[in-house]
Amino acid sequence: MKLFKNIIVLMAITLFALNCKNSTNPEVKTIETAIANTSTNSATKTIDPNATYAKAEFTVEGMTCAIGCAATIEKKIAKMDGVSYAKVDFDKKLAMVEYDEAKVTPTLLEKTVTGVADTYKVSDMKTVDAFSTK
């Protein structure tokens, strides 16, 4: 019986000695952020100083969330050639876009938004001097 206890104790000590690791390797994760994408896109876009820019505001119906819907629409509009500024406010259901009148039209803006998904509808398209803050 004493031999059996000694074998169990020896096995336990061996088990602890082999499984105890004092060194750990940190896990490295790379996360792509929206801020990095925005700064990259704006850095590569050039603004024509001779162009005539207009500001438009319109309502976007059919959005169900800020991250998926509003952000996707905003990115699609911002990538359009001639657009210098795009912001989609999910809470207000409002899109604000500054664009080069020679390259972008209100109809093209509407087609871009409705092209993202069939559920999005554009209404109350108007040209403004300054974006609304309410």
Side-chain angles (χ1 to χ4, degrees):
M1 187 71 165
K2 190 173 182 179
L3 180 65
F4 184 67
K5 285 182 183 178
N6 287 340
I7 291 173
I8 290 178
V9 170
L10 184 60
M11 287 176 55
I13 291 172
T14 305
L15 182 67
F16 286 121
L18 294 176
N19 286 330
C20 184
K21 295 181 181 178
N22 291 331
S23 65
T24 59
N25 294 330
E27 184 177 347
V28 178
K29 292 184 179 180
T30 304
I31 300 173
E32 186 176 330
T33 62
I35 295 170
N37 287 339
T38 305
S39 63
T40 304
N41 289 344
S42 62
T44 59
K45 220 174 213 190
T46 57
I47 297 175
D48 185 4
N50 299 324
T52 304
Y53 287 92
K55 295 179 181 178
E57 288 185 345
F58 51 90
T59 305
V60 180
E61 297 291 335
M63 294 187 294
T64 57
C65 63
I67 296 172
C69 299
T72 302
I73 294 169
E74 185 176 311
K75 286 178 188 176
K76 289 285 187 180
I77 294 172
K79 287 182 181 180
M80 293 174 64
D81 186 33
V83 172
S84 63
Y85 174 81
K87 176 72 179 157
V88 177
D89 189 335
F90 170 73
D91 295 325
K92 297 177 186 176
K93 297 182 180 181
L94 183 68
M96 298 168 278
V97 182
E98 184 173 19
Y99 60 93
D100 180 354
E101 291 179 317
K103 296 180 179 180
V104 179
T105 63
T107 306
L108 187 57
L109 287 172
E110 184 176 350
K111 285 181 182 180
T112 300
V113 172
T114 56
V116 174
D118 293 336
T119 58
Y120 304 135
K121 304 292 180 215
V122 174
S123 61
D124 301 326
M125 176 81 70
K126 59 188 171 199
T127 304
V128 295
D129 293 328
F131 293 127
S132 55
T133 57
K134 52 180 170 165

